[in-house]
């Protein structure tokens, strides 16, 4: 059950008298018609980083992606390591209800099991329930589109890839958005007409076995690899993107072993996520969605991801969704997207 969040975004644009209430669980539906006709890759879309780590518990075992130092320290500093491994506090359904439409997924196999698991150094639960929550959500929200970015695969054989891909294809079937050479023709309105609601990005060469999944280069997601706010903001503003592709801005700090050592008794939420919320989120108002162009100012955004996306009544989702209303500039719509 989802409690304690104010799930409505109030948009007031005094310069043109525009005012609208946006229900976060239906925010794509509630966008003005002009924006729903803009290419999907030029919209601002909130996402979660390491989306499924909310399922990590004290009983979680080490996964194949664990760093060597983690393997050595885990038996002795179990609780501390978990505090720096968990990046989300609410499950897939609750993330969807507060407006998240992109999921960053890292998967692993486990010895002695045919199941697939989410991972972030330690196992974060089987994949099936969260994916079922997403499927149920889109069934009940026919105007919403969700991006599933299968970022990393650990301990996978070619047969494992085939099994996972078959599972995804069977789960979502005709709701998948097939890859196509020109992404400019994909809009929220066109997807709704086709009843297509799920974009799957599959970052492995197995993607070429099906036309239903998007290739990695169709939505690059460069890693900032920064442990300080100044470095992160500089990266977000100046990272380059291709004008005909989607893009992921990672608004996250990455704690190094040295960073953690000097903050041993704290956690990722306090020392990474909250500083980003306090210092990066206000700066997001300087960013804009839309077609990338050579100009002064920050790189145009598409997907933006963050840790602990539920903080402060989902202020992250509200901040990112609000950026779309910059697209209501009449000249921009008529000349750039017409």
């Amino acid at each position: 059950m989802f409690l304690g969040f104010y799930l409505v975004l109030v948009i007031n644009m005094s310069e043109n008298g525009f005012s609208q209430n946006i229900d976060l669980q239906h925010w794509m539906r509630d966008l003005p018609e002009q924006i729903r006709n803009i290419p999907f890759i030029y919209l601002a879309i909130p996402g979660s980083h390491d989306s499924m780590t909310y399922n990590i518990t004290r009983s979680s075992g080490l996964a194949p992606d664990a760093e060597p130092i983690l393997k050595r320290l885990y038996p002795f500093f179990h609780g501390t390591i978990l505090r720096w491994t968990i990046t989300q506090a609410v499950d897939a359904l609750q993330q969807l209800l507060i407006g998240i439409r992109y999921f960053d997924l890292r998967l692993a196999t486990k010895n002695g099991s045919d199941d697939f698991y989410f991972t972030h150094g330690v196992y974060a639960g089987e994949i099936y329930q969260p994916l079922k929550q997403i499927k149920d959500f889109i069934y009940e929200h026919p105007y919403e589109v969700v991006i599933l970015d299968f970022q990393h695969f650990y301990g996978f054989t070619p047969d494992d890839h085939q099994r996972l891909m078959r599972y995804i294809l069977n789960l979502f079937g005709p709701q998948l958005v097939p890859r196509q050479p020109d992404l400019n023709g994909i809009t929220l309105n066109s997807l709704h007409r086709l009843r297509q609601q799920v974009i799957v990005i599959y970052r492995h060469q197995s993607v070429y076995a099906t036309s239903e999944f998007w290739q990695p280069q169709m939505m690059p997601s460069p890693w900032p690899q920064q442990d300080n706010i100044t470095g992160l903001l500089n990266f977000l503003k100046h990272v380059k993107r291709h004008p005909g592709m989607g893009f992921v801005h990672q608004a996250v700090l990455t704690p190094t072993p040295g960073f953690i050592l000097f903050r041993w008794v704290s956690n990722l939420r306090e020392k990474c996520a909250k500083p980003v919320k306090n210092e990066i989120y206000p700066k997001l108002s300087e960013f804009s969605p839309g077609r990338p162009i050579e100009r002064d100012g920050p790189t145009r955004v598409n997907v933006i991801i963050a840790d602990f996306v539920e903080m402060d009544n989902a202020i992250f989702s509200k901040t990112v969704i609000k950026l779309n209303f910059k697209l209501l500039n009449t000249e921009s719509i008529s000349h750039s997207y017409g």
Side-chain angles (χ1 to χ4, degrees), residues 105-212:
L105 309 175
R106 293 104 187 280
L107 278 68
T109 58
K110 183 185 290 189
N111 289 335
S113 173
D114 289 332
D115 293 320
F116 299 113
Y117 298 83
F118 293 120
T119 181
H120 189 211
V122 296
Y123 287 108
E126 295 180 6
I127 69 170
Y128 311 107
Q129 183 188 22
L131 293 182
K132 178 65 162 51
Q133 287 183 326
I134 293 169
K135 181 176 176 63
D136 291 344
F137 176 86
I138 61 174
Y139 177 78
E140 296 169 358
H141 299 75
Y143 288 86
E144 305 305 300
V145 177
V146 176
I147 304 168
L148 303 180
D149 191 346
F150 290 83
Q151 282 265 2
H152 300 288
F153 307 89
Y154 300 98
F156 268 64
T157 65
D159 181 64
D160 291 326
H161 280 288
Q162 290 181 20
R163 289 194 301 115
L164 175 61
M165 292 171 75
R166 281 197 302 269
Y167 175 77
I168 299 166
L169 288 167
N170 289 335
L171 182 63
F172 295 110
Q175 294 169 305
L176 291 166
V177 182
R179 71 171 177 265
Q180 40 197 282
D182 184 6
L183 301 183
N184 287 287
I186 301 174
T187 68
L188 289 175
N189 275 340
S190 71
L191 292 176
H192 180 67
R193 285 194 297 270
L194 295 169
R195 299 183 180 179
Q196 295 173 350
Q197 294 179 262
V198 181
I199 295 170
V200 169
I201 304 160
Y202 203 87
R203 299 184 190 271
H204 185 268
Q205 62 187 15
S206 301
V207 70
Y208 294 101
T210 175
S211 62
E212 302 303 306

Side-chain angles (χ1 to χ4, degrees), residues 298-312:
T299 302
R300 295 287 181 98
V301 298
N302 178 203
V303 174
I304 308 176
I305 65 175
D307 293 325
F308 295 101
V309 292
E310 89 295 342
M311 288 192 297
D312 285 11

